[in-house]
C-alpha cells in the first residue's frame, strides 16, 4: 500500500516537472519570436554599424521647432523645443557631418541632433538641451557610429540596439530554454531508471 502511494506521488511529481519543463520551453520560444519581430529588425535595419571617433566642431541651439512626440500623433501632442545642432569631424573620413543621438532621432526630426521626450514643463526641456550642448563643448572628442557603406552621411552618438544589447536580450530566453530542456531530460532519465528497476 505504501509502495503504491510512493509510485503515485512520484508519477505526479514527474508530470508536474515535465509540464514545468515544457512550459519553460514554450515561454522561451515565445520570447524568441517577440525579440525576432521587434528588436532584430531595428538592429539589422541600422546602417550605423562601425564605431569611430568624432570631434565636435560646433554645437549651436537654434530657434524652437515643433515636432510630434511620436509618429502619427495628434496636433495637441506636438510640442516646441529648442533645436540643438551638433556638427562633428568624422575621424574615419575627415568629413564634417551632423551628429544625432540615435537612429530614431534622425527619423523624428532630421534638423536637430536631439529630440527630447514630451515634458509638461518647457523650462526642463530647455535646461536639459542647454546641459547637453555644454557637455558637447566640454568633451570635444567621443566615440560615435557611422555608416561604412556611405548611404548615410550623418553619424549617431549611440545605437538603439547595440550588439551587446541584442546578445543580452537573447540571454534570458536561452537560459529558460536550456533549463526547460534540462528538466525534461532529467524527467525522462528518471522514468527510464524507474522502468528499468521495475523490470529487473
Amino acid at each position: 500500500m505504501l509502495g503504491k502511494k510512493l509510485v503515485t506521488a512520484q508519477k505526479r511529481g514527474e508530470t508536474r516537472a515535465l509540464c514545468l519543463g515544457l512550459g519553460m520551453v514554450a515561454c522561451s520560444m515565445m520570447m524568441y519570436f517577440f525579440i525576432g519581430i521587434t528588436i532584430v529588425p531595428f538592429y539589422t535595419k541600422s546602417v550605423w554599424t562601425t564605431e569611430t571617433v568624432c570631434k565636435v566642431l560646433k554645437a549651436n541651439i537654434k530657434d524652437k521647432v515643433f515636432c510630434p512626440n511620436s509618429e502619427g500623433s495628434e496636433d495637441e501632442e506636438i510640442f516646441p523645443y529648442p533645436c540643438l545642432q551638433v556638427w562633428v569631424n568624422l575621424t574615419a573620413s575627415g568629413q564634417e557631418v551632423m551628429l544625432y543621438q540615435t537612429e530614431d532621432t534622425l527619423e523624428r526630426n532630421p534638423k536637430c541632433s536631439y529630440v527630447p521626450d514630451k515634458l509638461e514643463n518647457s523650462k526642463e526641456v530647455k535646461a536639459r538641451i542647454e546641459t547637453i550642448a555644454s557637455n558637447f563643448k566640454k568633451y570635444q572628442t567621443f566615440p560615435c557610429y557611422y555608416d561604412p557603406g556611405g548611404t548615410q552621411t550623418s553619424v549617431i552618438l549611440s545605437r538603439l540596439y547595440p550588439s551587446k544589447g541584442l546578445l543580452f536580450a537573447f540571454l534570458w530566453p536561452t537560459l529558460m530554454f536550456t533549463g526547460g530542456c534540462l528538466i525534461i531530460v532529467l524527467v525522462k532519465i528518471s522514468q527510464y531508471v524507474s522502468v528499468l528497476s521495475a523490470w529487473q
Side-chain angles (χ1 to χ4, degrees):
M1 190 71 178
L2 182 60
K4 289 183 179 180
K5 289 184 178 180
L6 290 174
V7 171
T8 303
Q10 182 181 5
K11 287 183 178 180
R12 288 179 180 174
E14 290 176 349
T15 302
R16 291 174 181 174
L18 190 61
C19 290
L20 175 62
L22 292 174
M24 291 175 66
V25 171
C27 288
S28 63
M29 297 304 293
M30 292 176 61
M31 292 174 68
Y32 278 129
F33 177 75
F34 180 76
I35 294 172
I37 63 174
T38 55
I39 298 179
V40 174
F42 286 104
Y43 176 79
T44 55
K45 191 173 100 173
S46 177
V47 296
W48 295 271
T49 56
T50 305
E51 185 175 352
T52 185
V53 176
C54 289
K55 184 177 181 181
V56 176
L57 297 176
K58 53 185 176 180
N60 301 324
I61 299 178
K62 302 293 183 180
D63 295 334
K64 286 187 176 182
V65 295
F66 290 86
C67 184
N69 187 37
S70 59
E71 294 183 2
S73 59
E74 300 296 333
D75 291 340
E76 58 268 17
E77 294 183 349
I78 297 177
F79 67 101
Y81 61 92
C83 182
L84 172 64
Q85 292 183 346
V86 180
W87 292 88
V88 297
N89 184 12
L90 188 61
T91 305
S93 60
Q95 294 178 331
E96 181 180 340
V97 294
M98 190 168 178
L99 175 74
Y100 296 94
Q101 184 185 11
T102 61
E103 300 95 330
D104 184 59
T105 307
L106 179 60
E107 293 182 2
R108 293 178 63 184
N109 189 355
K111 295 181 180 180
C112 303
S113 298
Y114 174 75
V115 177
D117 296 328
K118 186 177 180 181
L119 298 175
E120 295 181 359
N121 191 348
S122 59
K123 293 182 179 180
E124 293 181 5
V125 176
K126 182 179 179 181
R128 180 181 299 179
I129 292 177
E130 289 177 351
T131 302
I132 294 173
S134 63
N135 287 336
F136 276 119
K137 294 176 181 178
K138 183 178 179 181
Y139 304 101
Q140 292 285 317
T141 305
F142 51 87
C144 59
Y145 294 90
Y146 76 100
D147 175 20
T151 56
Q152 288 286 347
T153 56
S154 57
V155 295
I156 61 174
L157 181 62
S158 60
R159 300 183 66 183
L160 281 174
Y161 301 103
S163 301
K164 292 182 179 179
L166 189 65
L167 292 175
F168 184 77
F170 277 107
L171 175 63
W172 296 111
T174 302
L175 292 176
M176 184 178 292
F177 179 81
T178 304
C181 291
L182 185 61
I183 291 175
I184 295 172
V185 170
L186 291 176
V187 170
K188 291 299 181 181
I189 292 175
S190 176
Q191 291 176 347
Y192 174 76
V193 172
S194 299
V195 172
L196 186 62
S197 300
W199 181 77
Q200 290 179 349

